[in-house]
Every structure is written in structure tokens, then in C-alpha cells.
Amino acid sequence: MEPTEAYAREADAADPLRDFRREFLFPQHEGRDVLYFTGNSLGLQPKGAALILQEELEDWAQYGVEGHFQARRPWYSYHELFSESLARIVGAKPKEVVAMNGLTTNLHLLLVSFYRPEGRRRKILCEERPFPSDTYAMASQIAFHGGDPEQDLVEMRPRKGEHTLRTEDIEARIAELGDELALVLFGGVNFYTGQAFDLEAITRAGHAVGALVGFDLAHAAGNIPLKLHDGGVDFACWCSYKYLNSGPGSVAGAFVHERHLGTDLPRFAGWWGHDKDERFKMERTFKPMPTAEAWQLSNAPVFAMAPHRASLDLFDRAGMDALVAKGRRLTAFLEAVIDQVASDTGKQLEIITPRDPDQRGCQLSVVLHGEGRALFDELTRHGVVADWREPNVIRLAPVPLYNGFQDVWRFGEVLKECLS
Ligand SMILES: *Cc1c(COP(=O)(O)O)cnc(C)c1O
């Protein structure tokens, strides 16, 4: 792969997904689209979002309460509109997934069911530097059960001198913790390093010592290929506003493996988790849905969910296989461009995301040795939207739905200019 403008132009011309770019609204910088590489933080707005939201407002105006059954997309069963598309994205059966709540809320609800410390088996193993919200959720769940997070929340550190974890080390650590391990909870893709973990290997290792295994897929859903069902993952959750482009704080998702459905796992229950055919009997005894919907609490927040539906239409049309294939090439191109700029300018730009395409999605985290915030601010002034993490990391996510190879090429030119 040549880091040249000619390559970028040819790759864009041959890209079967190139027209999807026109489905999105780009922020503007000096009269043209910004170079937007923060789809891992907040995905761009699909043009279809406004239309579908407008339709829900119209149906509310026209039908009032009757909209629950008479709306174009009846609100009573609104969440059901998401299951098939989400199942394709995370590799699950439709009954194993549900769109609901926020991500951290779902993590808590799932931990209530799947973190059940008992006797010696109390520990949770996670990767180093999980997203802070996940740390708060895990630590507070441990404390809620009377445990000590200092003891029971175990972070897995990379080897000295390395930035990311080796699968064999994760497996060894799980085996070592053995019957003290209640739960393994990793990100699907680490938000900081961009490392994609081997979900199947981690799940196998966790199950081998009798632990349950869950994943936070905030940076994985809509980004990397996932096979939650076949991989035997116990549970997972994700948000919809990063790679899934559904708008700030939009509705999150949850997965519960089929083998846990219809069981007597403890859960915090609400009426929308009750058997839908008998929901309005308003019985005192909770009768859970035989699906992941059993974890729902409330009726669907339709206005938050409508843009999610518009976005999933694009994923349905594009297909995860095509998105993953382009995402890999685009990320490899960004890698080649950054390496070229580093060599042209003599600067040290260290990519800490794994070089192996199987161990990453479409994010590269770059450590700017000797450069800092000033460079980042300069990039911003040139119309690059990237993400800065203290002390000196830039995260860049070229996403296949709306980024092209020429965006990446232009970024390289801007980077070179800012460095010199
Ligand atoms: C983005 C992100 C969150 C954010 O949590 P919300 O509940 O959606 O605010 C949590 N965990 C991870 C791993 C994330 O990447």
C-alpha cells in the first residue's frame, strides 16, 4: 500500500461504499467538510435522522396516546425495530439483543445479573485503563456486594515496555486467578490504545475457570466483526453514538446469551421486561420476557431511538463485512501515511495501536514524542477533528461509512505542514 495521493484517489474511485458519505452531515471548516476522525467518540449525523424524528413528532401530534399502536412505527413495540439489525452487527440472535437505556446503565443492570460474588470467587478481571465509567461501575458493584474494590478489581497490565496486552498473557492471568475469578469484563476494543481483544479466546479462558465473561463494546459495535453468540460470550453492552452514529447520548444496547434467557438469574426488573402479552394486566408477579427484553425497565424513549433507526438502516444497507473490509484498508492507509510523515519530517510518531489488523478496528492512537497539545491545536486550526488524550496521545478513527482515502491523504499533508 503506497502512501500516495494517486493511491488514495484510485482507492476512493473503486470503493463500493463511497456513496454513503453523502448520507452524512459534515461540520464545516472554511467552506469545506472538516477532516472528521472522531467517529469513535461521536459519529456524524445521518441525513435520515431528521426525517425519522420529524415523523415521530408528527405521529405524536396526530395520534396522541394512540400512537403506541397507530404510529407508522408503533411505540409499544418500538424497540423491536432494532433487534435484527443489532443482532447482525454484534453477531447474535435477535432475541439475545435489546436497545435500551444508556451504556453505563446497561452495564449496571447486567452486572446485577452476572456479577454474583460468592465465597472465594469475588474478583473481576479487566484490562488496564478501562473507560472510567466502567471502573466506577465495577468498583461500585463490588462495594455494593460488601467487597473491597482494591482487592477484587484486578487490572491486567501489559508487559514492561509494551502498550497492549498479549492474548496468552490474558489467558495465563485468568488461569492464575482461577476460582477467585467471578467475572472477566473487558472492552471489545480498548478506548485508549485501540487494541481489539480476542473475545473468543478470553471467553474460553474465563469459562475454563468457572467465571462469567462480558464485554463493553462501546468501541467495538459497528467497528469490528463480532460473534457474540458463537463465541459463547455471557453478556455485553454498547452505546450507539460512537461508530453507530445515532446521536449524543442516544439509546444503548445489551446482549445476553441465549443460555441465560428464561433462567432465574437475579435482575432489577421493570414493567417493560414483563411478558408483553400480559403487560397491561398489571399483575404483581413479574413474568420475564424469554428474551434479552427481560432486562428492559421502561417503555422506549422514541425520540432518542429514532435517529438510531435511521443509522441502522445505513448499516443494513452497507453490511458489516463490507464495512470491516474497507475499515481495515483505510486504517492501514492511515498507518502508512503517518509512518511516511514521520520519516519525511524526522519526528517520532509512535503508533501504540497494534500493527496487526486482527487486533484493531479503525482507530489508531499515536503518541507524539516531543510534540504535544500545540500540535493538536494546530491540526484543529487546519480543519482536522481528532481526539486528544493527556499527556500526548492523538486518537484518529477513519470510519468506513463516511471517510475516504483522500481524507486520510489530506490529513497526512496537514500533519506534515503542522510539524514543520
Ligand atoms: C463511551 C464509553 C462509555 C460512556 O458511557 P455512557 O454511559 O454512554 O455515558 C462507557 N464505557 C466505555 C468503554 C466507553 O467507550
Side-chain angles (χ1 to χ4, degrees), residues 327-372:
R328 283 179 170 230
R329 282 187 64 206
L330 202 54
T331 307
F333 188 61
L334 176 62
E335 182 178 37
V337 163
I338 290 172
D339 287 343
Q340 186 66 47
V341 171
S343 114
D344 289 353
T345 58
K347 302 277 182 182
Q348 204 192 342
L349 304 171
E350 186 191 6
I351 296 173
I352 61 170
T353 306
R355 298 269 178 179
D356 172 6
D358 287 334
Q359 289 188 62
R360 68 185 187 198
C362 30
Q363 171 185 326
L364 294 180
S365 301
V366 187
V367 176
L368 306 171
H369 295 281
E371 304 285 339

mmCIF file of all heavy atoms in Angstrom, residues 327-372:
data_model
loop_
_atom_site.group_PDB
_atom_site.id
_atom_site.type_symbol
_atom_site.label_atom_id
_atom_site.label_comp_id
_atom_site.label_asym_id
_atom_site.label_seq_id
_atom_site.Cartn_x
_atom_site.Cartn_y
_atom_site.Cartn_z
ATOM 1 N N GLY A 327 -12.763 -0.623 6.334
ATOM 2 C CA GLY A 327 -12.160 -0.052 7.533
ATOM 3 C C GLY A 327 -10.713 -0.507 7.693
ATOM 4 O O GLY A 327 -9.833 0.270 8.065
ATOM 5 N N ARG A 328 -10.466 -1.766 7.394
ATOM 6 C CA ARG A 328 -9.095 -2.294 7.506
ATOM 7 C C ARG A 328 -8.149 -1.616 6.529
ATOM 8 O O ARG A 328 -7.026 -1.265 6.877
ATOM 9 C CB ARG A 328 -9.094 -3.802 7.239
ATOM 10 C CG ARG A 328 -9.586 -4.586 8.408
ATOM 11 C CD ARG A 328 -9.583 -6.068 8.074
ATOM 12 N NE ARG A 328 -9.829 -6.800 9.295
ATOM 13 C CZ ARG A 328 -9.099 -7.823 9.728
ATOM 14 N NH1 ARG A 328 -8.079 -8.255 9.006
ATOM 15 N NH2 ARG A 328 -9.386 -8.417 10.856
ATOM 16 N N ARG A 329 -8.617 -1.454 5.308
ATOM 17 C CA ARG A 329 -7.747 -0.826 4.295
ATOM 18 C C ARG A 329 -7.500 0.638 4.622
ATOM 19 O O ARG A 329 -6.397 1.146 4.483
ATOM 20 C CB ARG A 329 -8.386 -0.950 2.910
ATOM 21 C CG ARG A 329 -8.227 -2.334 2.299
ATOM 22 C CD ARG A 329 -8.725 -2.365 0.877
ATOM 23 N NE ARG A 329 -7.940 -1.509 -0.006
ATOM 24 C CZ ARG A 329 -8.410 -0.971 -1.132
ATOM 25 N NH1 ARG A 329 -9.650 -1.181 -1.496
ATOM 26 N NH2 ARG A 329 -7.632 -0.214 -1.877
ATOM 27 N N LEU A 330 -8.561 1.296 5.052
ATOM 28 C CA LEU A 330 -8.465 2.715 5.362
ATOM 29 C C LEU A 330 -7.509 2.939 6.543
ATOM 30 O O LEU A 330 -6.705 3.883 6.546
ATOM 31 C CB LEU A 330 -9.871 3.218 5.705
ATOM 32 C CG LEU A 330 -10.207 4.687 5.580
ATOM 33 C CD1 LEU A 330 -9.885 5.223 4.199
ATOM 34 C CD2 LEU A 330 -11.712 4.885 5.874
ATOM 35 N N THR A 331 -7.593 2.074 7.527
ATOM 36 C CA THR A 331 -6.736 2.208 8.702
ATOM 37 C C THR A 331 -5.289 1.890 8.340
ATOM 38 O O THR A 331 -4.357 2.566 8.786
ATOM 39 C CB THR A 331 -7.239 1.286 9.830
ATOM 40 O OG1 THR A 331 -8.628 1.562 10.047
ATOM 41 C CG2 THR A 331 -6.475 1.525 11.118
ATOM 42 N N ALA A 332 -5.104 0.887 7.494
ATOM 43 C CA ALA A 332 -3.752 0.557 7.041
ATOM 44 C C ALA A 332 -3.174 1.718 6.234
ATOM 45 O O ALA A 332 -1.978 2.018 6.316
ATOM 46 C CB ALA A 332 -3.776 -0.722 6.196
ATOM 47 N N PHE A 333 -4.034 2.383 5.471
ATOM 48 C CA PHE A 333 -3.575 3.536 4.695
ATOM 49 C C PHE A 333 -3.156 4.670 5.627
ATOM 50 O O PHE A 333 -2.111 5.297 5.434
ATOM 51 C CB PHE A 333 -4.670 3.984 3.721
ATOM 52 C CG PHE A 333 -4.223 5.051 2.753
ATOM 53 C CD1 PHE A 333 -3.181 4.816 1.864
ATOM 54 C CD2 PHE A 333 -4.839 6.293 2.737
ATOM 55 C CE1 PHE A 333 -2.756 5.805 0.984
ATOM 56 C CE2 PHE A 333 -4.428 7.285 1.855
ATOM 57 C CZ PHE A 333 -3.381 7.041 0.978
ATOM 58 N N LEU A 334 -3.963 4.912 6.667
ATOM 59 C CA LEU A 334 -3.603 5.949 7.644
ATOM 60 C C LEU A 334 -2.270 5.606 8.313
ATOM 61 O O LEU A 334 -1.412 6.480 8.512
ATOM 62 C CB LEU A 334 -4.712 6.080 8.704
ATOM 63 C CG LEU A 334 -4.422 7.057 9.850
ATOM 64 C CD1 LEU A 334 -4.244 8.488 9.330
ATOM 65 C CD2 LEU A 334 -5.558 7.025 10.887
ATOM 66 N N GLU A 335 -2.103 4.338 8.611
ATOM 67 C CA GLU A 335 -0.849 3.888 9.235
ATOM 68 C C GLU A 335 0.339 4.193 8.305
ATOM 69 O O GLU A 335 1.362 4.747 8.737
ATOM 70 C CB GLU A 335 -0.972 2.381 9.482
ATOM 71 C CG GLU A 335 0.186 1.717 10.166
ATOM 72 C CD GLU A 335 -0.108 0.223 10.389
ATOM 73 O OE1 GLU A 335 -0.746 -0.419 9.512
ATOM 74 O OE2 GLU A 335 0.280 -0.296 11.435
ATOM 75 N N ALA A 336 0.168 3.863 7.024
ATOM 76 C CA ALA A 336 1.252 4.095 6.064
ATOM 77 C C ALA A 336 1.541 5.594 5.916
ATOM 78 O O ALA A 336 2.697 6.013 5.825
ATOM 79 C CB ALA A 336 0.885 3.484 4.706
ATOM 80 N N VAL A 337 0.475 6.407 5.907
ATOM 81 C CA VAL A 337 0.637 7.855 5.764
ATOM 82 C C VAL A 337 1.379 8.421 6.979
ATOM 83 O O VAL A 337 2.302 9.236 6.836
ATOM 84 C CB VAL A 337 -0.748 8.535 5.578
ATOM 85 C CG1 VAL A 337 -0.677 10.031 5.842
ATOM 86 C CG2 VAL A 337 -1.283 8.259 4.173
ATOM 87 N N ILE A 338 0.992 7.990 8.176
ATOM 88 C CA ILE A 338 1.649 8.502 9.390
ATOM 89 C C ILE A 338 3.130 8.092 9.409
ATOM 90 O O ILE A 338 4.010 8.908 9.718
ATOM 91 C CB ILE A 338 0.918 7.996 10.662
ATOM 92 C CG1 ILE A 338 -0.453 8.665 10.775
ATOM 93 C CG2 ILE A 338 1.751 8.278 11.920
ATOM 94 C CD1 ILE A 338 -1.337 8.101 11.867
ATOM 95 N N ASP A 339 3.387 6.843 9.053
ATOM 96 C CA ASP A 339 4.785 6.380 9.018
ATOM 97 C C ASP A 339 5.601 7.206 8.019
ATOM 98 O O ASP A 339 6.756 7.558 8.271
ATOM 99 C CB ASP A 339 4.854 4.891 8.637
ATOM 100 C CG ASP A 339 4.386 3.987 9.776
ATOM 101 O OD1 ASP A 339 4.325 4.453 10.933
ATOM 102 O OD2 ASP A 339 4.077 2.802 9.499
ATOM 103 N N GLN A 340 4.975 7.518 6.882
ATOM 104 C CA GLN A 340 5.666 8.304 5.854
ATOM 105 C C GLN A 340 5.964 9.725 6.355
ATOM 106 O O GLN A 340 7.065 10.236 6.169
ATOM 107 C CB GLN A 340 4.800 8.347 4.577
ATOM 108 C CG GLN A 340 5.464 9.015 3.396
ATOM 109 C CD GLN A 340 6.674 8.218 2.896
ATOM 110 O OE1 GLN A 340 6.584 7.001 2.723
ATOM 111 N NE2 GLN A 340 7.798 8.888 2.702
ATOM 112 N N VAL A 341 4.962 10.326 7.009
ATOM 113 C CA VAL A 341 5.159 11.682 7.543
ATOM 114 C C VAL A 341 6.269 11.670 8.595
ATOM 115 O O VAL A 341 7.116 12.566 8.628
ATOM 116 C CB VAL A 341 3.840 12.235 8.145
ATOM 117 C CG1 VAL A 341 4.090 13.547 8.901
ATOM 118 C CG2 VAL A 341 2.796 12.445 7.056
ATOM 119 N N ALA A 342 6.268 10.653 9.443
ATOM 120 C CA ALA A 342 7.303 10.556 10.477
ATOM 121 C C ALA A 342 8.675 10.494 9.820
ATOM 122 O O ALA A 342 9.615 11.180 10.234
ATOM 123 C CB ALA A 342 7.058 9.330 11.351
ATOM 124 N N SER A 343 8.783 9.682 8.776
ATOM 125 C CA SER A 343 10.090 9.536 8.136
ATOM 126 C C SER A 343 10.472 10.803 7.353
ATOM 127 O O SER A 343 11.616 11.238 7.373
ATOM 128 C CB SER A 343 10.121 8.246 7.309
ATOM 129 O OG SER A 343 10.228 8.512 5.959
ATOM 130 N N ASP A 344 9.495 11.470 6.712
ATOM 131 C CA ASP A 344 9.786 12.717 5.974
ATOM 132 C C ASP A 344 10.211 13.853 6.896
ATOM 133 O O ASP A 344 11.008 14.710 6.511
ATOM 134 C CB ASP A 344 8.546 13.185 5.187
ATOM 135 C CG ASP A 344 8.249 12.286 4.000
ATOM 136 O OD1 ASP A 344 9.070 11.399 3.708
ATOM 137 O OD2 ASP A 344 7.182 12.452 3.382
ATOM 138 N N THR A 345 9.616 13.904 8.090
ATOM 139 C CA THR A 345 9.875 15.057 8.975
ATOM 140 C C THR A 345 10.911 14.751 10.048
ATOM 141 O O THR A 345 11.332 15.644 10.770
ATOM 142 C CB THR A 345 8.577 15.492 9.695
ATOM 143 O OG1 THR A 345 8.073 14.376 10.447
ATOM 144 C CG2 THR A 345 7.524 15.973 8.716
ATOM 145 N N GLY A 346 11.281 13.456 10.182
ATOM 146 C CA GLY A 346 12.234 13.068 11.215
ATOM 147 C C GLY A 346 11.644 13.126 12.615
ATOM 148 O O GLY A 346 12.372 13.099 13.607
ATOM 149 N N LYS A 347 10.306 13.210 12.715
ATOM 150 C CA LYS A 347 9.659 13.236 14.034
ATOM 151 C C LYS A 347 9.302 11.818 14.454
ATOM 152 O O LYS A 347 9.086 10.939 13.620
ATOM 153 C CB LYS A 347 8.372 14.065 13.976
ATOM 154 C CG LYS A 347 8.567 15.483 13.520
ATOM 155 C CD LYS A 347 9.007 16.366 14.660
ATOM 156 C CE LYS A 347 9.136 17.810 14.160
ATOM 157 N NZ LYS A 347 9.611 18.719 15.186
ATOM 158 N N GLN A 348 9.222 11.632 15.777
ATOM 159 C CA GLN A 348 8.826 10.317 16.266
ATOM 160 C C GLN A 348 7.322 10.300 16.519
ATOM 161 O O GLN A 348 6.842 10.923 17.471
ATOM 162 C CB GLN A 348 9.588 9.995 17.551
ATOM 163 C CG GLN A 348 9.681 8.497 17.795
ATOM 164 C CD GLN A 348 10.166 8.175 19.198
ATOM 165 O OE1 GLN A 348 10.745 9.018 19.876
ATOM 166 N NE2 GLN A 348 9.904 6.946 19.644
ATOM 167 N N LEU A 349 6.602 9.624 15.648
ATOM 168 C CA LEU A 349 5.159 9.459 15.812
ATOM 169 C C LEU A 349 4.931 7.975 16.079
ATOM 170 O O LEU A 349 4.965 7.162 15.163
ATOM 171 C CB LEU A 349 4.423 9.896 14.547
ATOM 172 C CG LEU A 349 4.691 11.335 14.053
ATOM 173 C CD1 LEU A 349 4.071 11.560 12.681
ATOM 174 C CD2 LEU A 349 4.146 12.349 15.055
ATOM 175 N N GLU A 350 4.713 7.636 17.327
ATOM 176 C CA GLU A 350 4.636 6.216 17.686
ATOM 177 C C GLU A 350 3.192 5.739 17.720
ATOM 178 O O GLU A 350 2.383 6.205 18.534
ATOM 179 C CB GLU A 350 5.280 5.984 19.060
ATOM 180 C CG GLU A 350 5.355 4.505 19.414
ATOM 181 C CD GLU A 350 5.746 4.236 20.863
ATOM 182 O OE1 GLU A 350 5.867 5.192 21.653
ATOM 183 O OE2 GLU A 350 5.916 3.056 21.210
ATOM 184 N N ILE A 351 2.880 4.823 16.826
ATOM 185 C CA ILE A 351 1.534 4.234 16.815
ATOM 186 C C ILE A 351 1.512 3.135 17.869
ATOM 187 O O ILE A 351 2.212 2.126 17.739
ATOM 188 C CB ILE A 351 1.203 3.673 15.411
ATOM 189 C CG1 ILE A 351 1.167 4.828 14.388
ATOM 190 C CG2 ILE A 351 -0.130 2.930 15.434
ATOM 191 C CD1 ILE A 351 1.022 4.387 12.945
ATOM 192 N N ILE A 352 0.704 3.336 18.932
ATOM 193 C CA ILE A 352 0.671 2.317 20.007
ATOM 194 C C ILE A 352 -0.435 1.290 19.781
ATOM 195 O O ILE A 352 -0.486 0.272 20.454
ATOM 196 C CB ILE A 352 0.517 2.956 21.416
ATOM 197 C CG1 ILE A 352 -0.786 3.748 21.530
ATOM 198 C CG2 ILE A 352 1.727 3.823 21.743
ATOM 199 C CD1 ILE A 352 -1.095 4.184 22.966
ATOM 200 N N THR A 353 -1.309 1.555 18.830
ATOM 201 C CA THR A 353 -2.318 0.561 18.452
ATOM 202 C C THR A 353 -1.597 -0.601 17.765
ATOM 203 O O THR A 353 -0.624 -0.361 17.032
ATOM 204 C CB THR A 353 -3.335 1.214 17.487
ATOM 205 O OG1 THR A 353 -3.848 2.387 18.114
ATOM 206 C CG2 THR A 353 -4.478 0.280 17.150
ATOM 207 N N PRO A 354 -2.049 -1.847 17.980
ATOM 208 C CA PRO A 354 -1.352 -2.965 17.328
ATOM 209 C C PRO A 354 -1.258 -2.797 15.804
ATOM 210 O O PRO A 354 -2.178 -2.300 15.171
ATOM 211 C CB PRO A 354 -2.227 -4.172 17.693
ATOM 212 C CG PRO A 354 -2.874 -3.793 18.977
ATOM 213 C CD PRO A 354 -3.112 -2.314 18.887
ATOM 214 N N ARG A 355 -0.131 -3.208 15.270
ATOM 215 C CA ARG A 355 0.065 -3.167 13.807
ATOM 216 C C ARG A 355 -0.694 -4.303 13.117
ATOM 217 O O ARG A 355 -0.982 -4.234 11.923
ATOM 218 C CB ARG A 355 1.565 -3.293 13.478
ATOM 219 C CG ARG A 355 2.408 -2.141 14.036
ATOM 220 C CD ARG A 355 2.525 -1.031 13.026
ATOM 221 N NE ARG A 355 3.287 0.115 13.522
ATOM 222 C CZ ARG A 355 3.524 1.206 12.793
ATOM 223 N NH1 ARG A 355 3.088 1.279 11.544
ATOM 224 N NH2 ARG A 355 4.179 2.216 13.291
ATOM 225 N N ASP A 356 -1.004 -5.326 13.869
ATOM 226 C CA ASP A 356 -1.732 -6.482 13.328
ATOM 227 C C ASP A 356 -3.210 -6.109 13.122
ATOM 228 O O ASP A 356 -3.906 -5.774 14.070
ATOM 229 C CB ASP A 356 -1.607 -7.633 14.347
ATOM 230 C CG ASP A 356 -2.484 -8.814 13.999
ATOM 231 O OD1 ASP A 356 -3.108 -8.817 12.920
ATOM 232 O OD2 ASP A 356 -2.552 -9.750 14.835
ATOM 233 N N PRO A 357 -3.686 -6.163 11.851
ATOM 234 C CA PRO A 357 -5.077 -5.750 11.581
ATOM 235 C C PRO A 357 -6.120 -6.567 12.351
ATOM 236 O O PRO A 357 -7.237 -6.087 12.553
ATOM 237 C CB PRO A 357 -5.239 -5.956 10.075
ATOM 238 C CG PRO A 357 -3.932 -6.391 9.539
ATOM 239 C CD PRO A 357 -2.959 -6.590 10.653
ATOM 240 N N ASP A 358 -5.788 -7.777 12.769
ATOM 241 C CA ASP A 358 -6.740 -8.574 13.542
ATOM 242 C C ASP A 358 -6.878 -8.063 14.977
ATOM 243 O O ASP A 358 -7.769 -8.491 15.703
ATOM 244 C CB ASP A 358 -6.314 -10.045 13.598
ATOM 245 C CG ASP A 358 -6.524 -10.727 12.263
ATOM 246 O OD1 ASP A 358 -7.407 -10.269 11.503
ATOM 247 O OD2 ASP A 358 -5.807 -11.704 11.976
ATOM 248 N N GLN A 359 -5.970 -7.210 15.380
ATOM 249 C CA GLN A 359 -6.006 -6.728 16.763
ATOM 250 C C GLN A 359 -6.377 -5.258 16.872
ATOM 251 O O GLN A 359 -5.997 -4.573 17.816
ATOM 252 C CB GLN A 359 -4.632 -6.920 17.430
ATOM 253 C CG GLN A 359 -4.296 -8.358 17.709
ATOM 254 C CD GLN A 359 -3.030 -8.424 18.536
ATOM 255 O OE1 GLN A 359 -2.969 -7.931 19.656
ATOM 256 N NE2 GLN A 359 -1.999 -9.024 17.978
ATOM 257 N N ARG A 360 -7.087 -4.779 15.857
ATOM 258 C CA ARG A 360 -7.540 -3.380 15.942
ATOM 259 C C ARG A 360 -8.756 -3.201 15.050
ATOM 260 O O ARG A 360 -9.047 -4.036 14.191
ATOM 261 C CB ARG A 360 -6.420 -2.433 15.499
ATOM 262 C CG ARG A 360 -6.090 -2.539 14.030
ATOM 263 C CD ARG A 360 -4.908 -1.687 13.648
ATOM 264 N NE ARG A 360 -4.719 -1.694 12.205
ATOM 265 C CZ ARG A 360 -3.599 -1.328 11.599
ATOM 266 N NH1 ARG A 360 -2.558 -0.950 12.314
ATOM 267 N NH2 ARG A 360 -3.518 -1.340 10.285
ATOM 268 N N GLY A 361 -9.468 -2.095 15.277
ATOM 269 C CA GLY A 361 -10.549 -1.708 14.379
ATOM 270 C C GLY A 361 -10.069 -0.512 13.596
ATOM 271 O O GLY A 361 -8.923 -0.497 13.130
ATOM 272 N N CYS A 362 -10.926 0.519 13.463
ATOM 273 C CA CYS A 362 -10.447 1.667 12.689
ATOM 274 C C CYS A 362 -10.059 2.827 13.593
ATOM 275 O O CYS A 362 -10.514 3.938 13.382
ATOM 276 C CB CYS A 362 -11.423 2.074 11.603
ATOM 277 S SG CYS A 362 -13.115 1.776 11.925
ATOM 278 N N GLN A 363 -9.262 2.566 14.570
ATOM 279 C CA GLN A 363 -8.667 3.648 15.369
ATOM 280 C C GLN A 363 -7.169 3.438 15.456
ATOM 281 O O GLN A 363 -6.706 2.321 15.680
ATOM 282 C CB GLN A 363 -9.248 3.632 16.800
ATOM 283 C CG GLN A 363 -8.522 4.586 17.751
ATOM 284 C CD GLN A 363 -9.024 4.472 19.184
ATOM 285 O OE1 GLN A 363 -10.199 4.225 19.437
ATOM 286 N NE2 GLN A 363 -8.130 4.660 20.142
ATOM 287 N N LEU A 364 -6.432 4.531 15.295
ATOM 288 C CA LEU A 364 -5.005 4.499 15.603
ATOM 289 C C LEU A 364 -4.736 5.539 16.686
ATOM 290 O O LEU A 364 -5.166 6.685 16.577
ATOM 291 C CB LEU A 364 -4.159 4.812 14.363
ATOM 292 C CG LEU A 364 -4.210 3.792 13.223
ATOM 293 C CD1 LEU A 364 -3.322 4.251 12.064
ATOM 294 C CD2 LEU A 364 -3.786 2.396 13.684
ATOM 295 N N SER A 365 -4.032 5.112 17.736
ATOM 296 C CA SER A 365 -3.614 6.026 18.796
ATOM 297 C C SER A 365 -2.136 6.305 18.585
ATOM 298 O O SER A 365 -1.325 5.386 18.490
ATOM 299 C CB SER A 365 -3.830 5.384 20.167
ATOM 300 O OG SER A 365 -5.201 5.050 20.330
ATOM 301 N N VAL A 366 -1.814 7.590 18.493
ATOM 302 C CA VAL A 366 -0.447 7.978 18.152
ATOM 303 C C VAL A 366 0.153 8.788 19.299
ATOM 304 O O VAL A 366 -0.422 9.803 19.710
ATOM 305 C CB VAL A 366 -0.435 8.848 16.864
ATOM 306 C CG1 VAL A 366 0.998 9.105 16.414
ATOM 307 C CG2 VAL A 366 -1.241 8.187 15.763
ATOM 308 N N VAL A 367 1.282 8.314 19.813
ATOM 309 C CA VAL A 367 1.996 9.064 20.849
ATOM 310 C C VAL A 367 2.931 10.044 20.152
ATOM 311 O O VAL A 367 3.710 9.667 19.278
ATOM 312 C CB VAL A 367 2.800 8.124 21.775
ATOM 313 C CG1 VAL A 367 3.622 8.948 22.776
ATOM 314 C CG2 VAL A 367 1.863 7.182 22.515
ATOM 315 N N LEU A 368 2.810 11.314 20.544
ATOM 316 C CA LEU A 368 3.596 12.375 19.911
ATOM 317 C C LEU A 368 4.803 12.682 20.774
ATOM 318 O O LEU A 368 4.765 13.600 21.574
ATOM 319 C CB LEU A 368 2.743 13.635 19.788
ATOM 320 C CG LEU A 368 1.399 13.486 19.081
ATOM 321 C CD1 LEU A 368 0.598 14.752 19.224
ATOM 322 C CD2 LEU A 368 1.620 13.138 17.616
ATOM 323 N N HIS A 369 5.857 11.919 20.599
ATOM 324 C CA HIS A 369 7.050 12.163 21.411
ATOM 325 C C HIS A 369 7.614 13.537 21.089
ATOM 326 O O HIS A 369 7.878 13.849 19.929
ATOM 327 C CB HIS A 369 8.093 11.084 21.148
ATOM 328 C CG HIS A 369 7.632 9.724 21.595
ATOM 329 N ND1 HIS A 369 7.662 9.324 22.910
ATOM 330 C CD2 HIS A 369 7.092 8.691 20.909
ATOM 331 C CE1 HIS A 369 7.193 8.092 23.011
ATOM 332 N NE2 HIS A 369 6.831 7.682 21.802
ATOM 333 N N GLY A 370 7.779 14.352 22.102
ATOM 334 C CA GLY A 370 8.363 15.677 21.891
ATOM 335 C C GLY A 370 7.388 16.692 21.308
ATOM 336 O O GLY A 370 7.727 17.854 21.151
ATOM 337 N N GLU A 371 6.199 16.252 20.924
ATOM 338 C CA GLU A 371 5.178 17.196 20.452
ATOM 339 C C GLU A 371 4.022 17.084 21.430
ATOM 340 O O GLU A 371 3.881 16.097 22.115
ATOM 341 C CB GLU A 371 4.673 16.828 19.053
ATOM 342 C CG GLU A 371 5.738 16.711 18.003
ATOM 343 C CD GLU A 371 6.250 18.068 17.553
ATOM 344 O OE1 GLU A 371 5.538 19.069 17.749
ATOM 345 O OE2 GLU A 371 7.371 18.129 17.029
ATOM 346 N N GLY A 372 3.204 18.088 21.472
ATOM 347 C CA GLY A 372 2.113 17.974 22.431
ATOM 348 C C GLY A 372 0.886 18.670 21.970
ATOM 349 O O GLY A 372 0.579 18.727 20.774
#
